[in-house]
Amino acid sequence: MSKISRFTNKAVQLAKNAVGERGEVAAPEGGGGFAEYAVVSLHCLRVYLEKSYREALDLLSEMPQILGEIGLKPADLPDHSTLVKWFDRIKTALWRVLLRLSAQEHEPSGHAAIDATFFDRENASKHYCRRTNYRVQTLKATALVDTKSQAILDVHCTTEKRHDTQLGWQVARRNAGDLASLAADKGYDWMDLRDKLREEGVRPLIKHREFRPIDHAHNARIDGPRYRQRAMCETVFSTIKRTLGDAVRARTWYGEFRELVLMCAVHNIKQSLKQ
């Protein structure tokens, strides 16, 4: 079985679980809409192939076996503009469910790292930027990564200049019940964050910025091997940008966030197939 066939099989399975599939036919005959799991699967393949909407559909039209995994035929494929509209209609909550299910394909270690990176925001034209006041050219993504499996457990996106410590707590709080420790660099140095994590039963592995001798003492007590695993975040970001792209192409803010969540889910699926 080829890599793309294995990926499609896993993506369809997770998509059905995410939407609560009730036995719908992917492309019903005699009218009617496509099953939601089929639409989600097509978008997963679009990101996996790292192609535009039009290019992805052109490629898939030449892959009847891959479409058969979804339950579609080449003649069933919609126009690329229809696929764009479907992406806007699917709620963010569904993409988050898909991300969570894709992370559950990995054996959790309980030890995670958190870090942030930036993705470019591609746009159609300068005229569009002026018309929509589209000034911020980067999207900040904060990801929570399992240090053993390199699976992305959660992701937060923003175009605002919020501090890492605030974003870190927002992401960690949602996942505190599944964590034993959390590693982060000195950008997350905030005593309130450490205290909040300890209250949730999570050991903070966050080094102090060194202004006083006591800061050096605190840093010396941090578990070295566990703390050094925080570099897994950078490894994951590098893998996503190298294999899935370093830019989000949706025009709207919510579309960019959904696209990034989808990219993280596709990364998790690819990692689970490697294992």
Side-chain angles (χ1 to χ4, degrees):
M1 184 181 291
S2 66
K3 289 183 179 180
I4 187 173
S5 181
R6 292 168 57 213
F7 173 86
T8 304
N9 185 275
K10 180 63 68 175
V12 172
Q13 175 188 336
L14 293 177
K16 288 182 177 181
N17 292 337
V19 305
E21 187 261 334
R22 297 176 295 276
E24 300 100 328
V25 178
E29 297 180 0
F34 283 71
E36 197 168 20
Y37 76 82
V39 178
V40 172
S41 300
L42 286 175
H43 280 293
C44 288
L45 279 168
R46 170 180 63 83
V47 173
Y48 177 80
L49 295 170
E50 198 183 346
K51 300 293 183 181
S52 66
Y53 286 89
R54 191 192 301 270
E55 292 171 337
L57 291 174
D58 284 344
L59 280 176
L60 290 173
S61 66
E62 303 295 331
M63 301 179 182
Q65 181 181 349
I66 299 303
L67 291 177
E69 297 279 354
I70 306 175
L72 299 174
K73 299 178 181 178
D76 296 327
L77 287 176
D79 185 76
H80 72 279
S81 60
T82 303
L83 198 61
V84 173
K85 293 178 182 178
W86 279 340
F87 187 73
D88 290 335
R89 291 173 184 169
I90 298 175
K91 296 182 179 180
T92 303
L94 191 149
W95 297 118
R96 279 199 166 278
V97 171
L98 183 67
L99 175 62
R100 186 177 71 249
L101 291 175
S102 67
Q104 291 174 356
E105 290 293 306
H106 303 259
E107 187 68 28
S109 67
H111 303 286
I114 193 169
D115 204 353
T117 190
F118 290 90
F119 287 83
D120 291 332
R121 304 174 74 192
E122 288 193 356
N123 45 71
S125 65
K126 291 183 179 180
H127 169 71
Y128 176 80
C129 292
R130 289 193 297 268
R131 182 167 59 85
T132 60
N133 197 29
Y134 197 102
R135 296 180 180 178
V136 181
Q137 298 300 310
T138 56
L139 184 71
K140 183 177 182 179
T142 302
L144 184 69
V145 175
D146 185 274
T147 56
K148 182 178 180 181
S149 65
Q150 297 184 28
I152 300 176
L153 306 177
D154 201 354
V155 64
H156 179 280
C157 306
T158 183
T159 56
E160 300 175 354
K161 296 181 179 179
R162 296 177 59 188
H163 197 272
D164 285 343
T165 53
Q166 303 295 327
L167 299 176
W169 169 238
Q170 185 173 339
V171 174
R173 179 177 53 189
R174 291 198 295 255
N175 303 272
D178 301 322
L179 301 179
S181 69
L182 178 63
D185 60 27
K186 294 179 182 179
Y188 295 84
D189 177 18
W190 184 36
M191 285 306 301
D192 286 352
L193 175 59
R194 295 187 182 91
D195 292 340
K196 290 176 180 179
L197 288 173
R198 291 190 183 98
E199 290 174 1
E200 297 291 339
V202 181
R203 181 187 178 189
L205 300 175
I206 306 172
K207 285 198 172 183
H208 296 250
R209 286 170 289 182
E210 297 171 345
F211 300 115
R212 300 167 299 169
I214 193 173
D215 296 328
H216 292 270
H218 283 309
N219 291 344
R221 289 198 297 269
I222 291 182
D223 184 356
R226 288 285 183 207
Y227 175 73
R228 286 192 291 272
Q229 288 297 305
R230 68 180 180 79
M232 288 297 102
C233 274
E234 298 174 3
T235 301
V236 168
F237 287 142
S238 175
T239 301
I240 290 178
K241 291 182 177 181
R242 186 178 66 255
T243 61
L244 302 178
D246 59 357
V248 288
R249 298 175 176 83
R251 289 187 174 184
T252 60
W253 148 245
Y254 62 84
E256 293 171 343
F257 174 61
R258 293 170 183 175
E259 185 175 349
L260 191 53
V261 173
L262 175 57
M263 291 170 66
C264 293
V266 169
H267 164 81
N268 286 349
I269 297 173
K270 292 174 65 177
Q271 285 295 116
S272 68
L273 294 177
K274 288 181 180 180
Q275 298 174 4

